Amino acid sequence: MNRRKALKNGLLGVGALAMNPSLKSFSTLLNNTTLGVQLFTIPKMVDTDLKGSLQLISELGYQEVEFFGPYPFSVQSAKDSWNQIKPMLGITNDAFYGNTIEETAGLLKDFNLKSPSMHTDMDTLRHGLEKMLDEVSKLDTKYLVLPAIQEEKSSLDNYKRFVEEFNSFGEKMAAYNIQFVYHNHGYEHMELDGKIPMNFLLENVNSEFVKFELDIFWMQAAGANPIDYLKKYPLSYKALHIKDATKEFRFKGDGQTPDQWMAGFPLMSDPGDGVYDIKGIIAQAKASGVEHFFLERDIAPEPEKTLKNSYKNLRELI
């Protein structure tokens, strides 16, 4: 694809990126975008009926799912922390909801689904990484994602330490052909010591071992622009969390606490039904090398309706 054609299609910079050898499947990516579901969109459904939920996801046309933990192989501290949150979400089980990981792999195969990405937690990354890697390899997972940092991060020194840890996680995962991925949650855009932490992470991690997942909603909740980040850091982002909003949402504070995140839940909408430029963001994401596109409307109030409506909307937008 040359630059003239890229400009004609409204994808500035696509031509240059297409020449990059890192984008081996670039033309396929543009024309055959697969859609997936982050299962935190439908936590109650998978909690009570994983098989039925996966069957519905497949029948609607989605081809990928992204699990959230904790898992049987997660460290106990992660399970204990999640047990405090379950009552608020109305769920009782951890993944894989009464199934072994082998049984879960079988269900995915039965419904022609893949799970290229899974969310995990910092404690398991630090204290149970080898066991987790041995297990998730059974699902042919390519990315292990840290969805948020829920600990002290009030200075740039904290982020310098995170860079070292992320590089270490990623280097260990490489032996399993898995990459470490960090998912933004908004707080990374609050300036610390003259730097924007999100930029600091993107510019200082070892890109061979560490990639990123861009969450549209949380980035904009911090006042940042997803298209700008996708343009500025091509090839850094491997996955996109697609969610919309009925109106612009901004954190009231620094975005560091769960209560500030949950304040945004009521304003979320199905992609394409809200105020965000979902079409433009997806176009730039494809131009910048994003490979996986996951619907994630956190704890959708009408999960089946959201799955159906979002698939219809997204197919029109890509």
Side-chain angles (χ1 to χ4, degrees), residues 152-154 159 185-192 218 221-222 250-261:
E152 180 61 39
K153 45 188 179 292
S154 59
Y159 285 90
H185 229 296
Y187 49 77
E188 313 91 344
H189 295 278
M190 307 301 172
E191 186 175 313
L192 294 174
W218 299 125
R250 292 288 185 271
F251 292 127
K252 289 186 177 179
D254 57 13
Q256 295 210 39
T257 56
D259 63 298
Q260 293 183 64
W261 306 338

Side-chain angles (χ1 to χ4, degrees), residues 216 242-244 271-273 276-283 314 317:
I216 292 172
I242 309 171
K243 63 187 75 167
D244 215 330
D273 286 350
Y276 294 154
D277 181 15
I278 301 298
K279 184 178 180 67
I281 294 169
I282 291 175
L314 289 170
L317 292 171

Side-chain angles (χ1 to χ4, degrees), residues 95-234:
F96 299 98
Y97 315 104
N99 299 275
T100 66
I101 193 167
E102 291 85 359
E103 290 168 340
T104 301
L107 289 173
L108 292 172
K109 184 177 180 180
D110 289 344
F111 299 119
N112 296 310
L113 294 170
K114 294 183 179 180
S115 182
S117 177
M118 296 173 63
H119 279 202
T120 184
D121 62 275
M122 187 70 96
D123 281 357
T124 301
L125 287 164
R126 286 172 173 163
H127 308 297
L129 181 56
E130 185 174 347
K131 181 178 180 181
M132 176 166 57
L133 289 169
D134 286 337
E135 291 295 308
V136 300
S137 61
K138 299 172 184 176
L139 293 182
D140 294 325
T141 296
K142 297 192 297 182
Y143 304 110
L144 281 172
V145 184
L146 178 64
I149 302 171
Q150 293 183 276
E151 60 184 70
E152 180 61 39
K153 45 188 179 292
S154 59
S155 76
L156 197 63
D157 285 339
N158 298 126
Y159 285 90
K160 291 177 181 178
R161 177 168 56 84
F162 297 145
V163 165
E164 293 177 359
E165 285 196 285
F166 291 179
N167 287 341
S168 177
F169 298 151
E171 189 170 2
K172 292 172 182 175
M173 291 179 190
Y176 291 77
N177 294 316
I178 295 174
Q179 283 188 308
F180 173 76
V181 172
Y182 178 69
H183 166 287
N184 64 284
H185 229 296
Y187 49 77
E188 313 91 344
H189 295 278
M190 307 301 172
E191 186 175 313
L192 294 174
D193 305 329
K195 301 281 187 180
I196 300 299
M198 191 74 245
N199 299 28
F200 182 83
L201 290 173
L202 282 156
E203 293 166 8
N204 286 277
V205 296
N206 185 331
S207 60
E208 180 182 356
F209 300 124
V210 180
K211 297 298 182 183
F212 294 82
E213 181 171 61
L214 193 156
D215 188 297
I216 292 172
F217 187 90
W218 299 125
M219 184 170 280
Q220 295 190 156
N225 187 316
I227 291 178
D228 289 346
Y229 270 83
L230 290 163
K231 285 182 177 179
K232 186 175 181 179
Y233 300 102

Side-chain angles (χ1 to χ4, degrees), residues 297-315:
R297 180 177 176 180
D298 303 49
I299 320 175
E302 298 180 273
E304 289 192 35
K305 181 178 177 182
T306 284
L307 289 175
K308 295 174 182 177
N309 184 53
S310 297
Y311 187 84
K312 176 183 69 69
N313 287 354
L314 289 170
R315 275 300 168 208

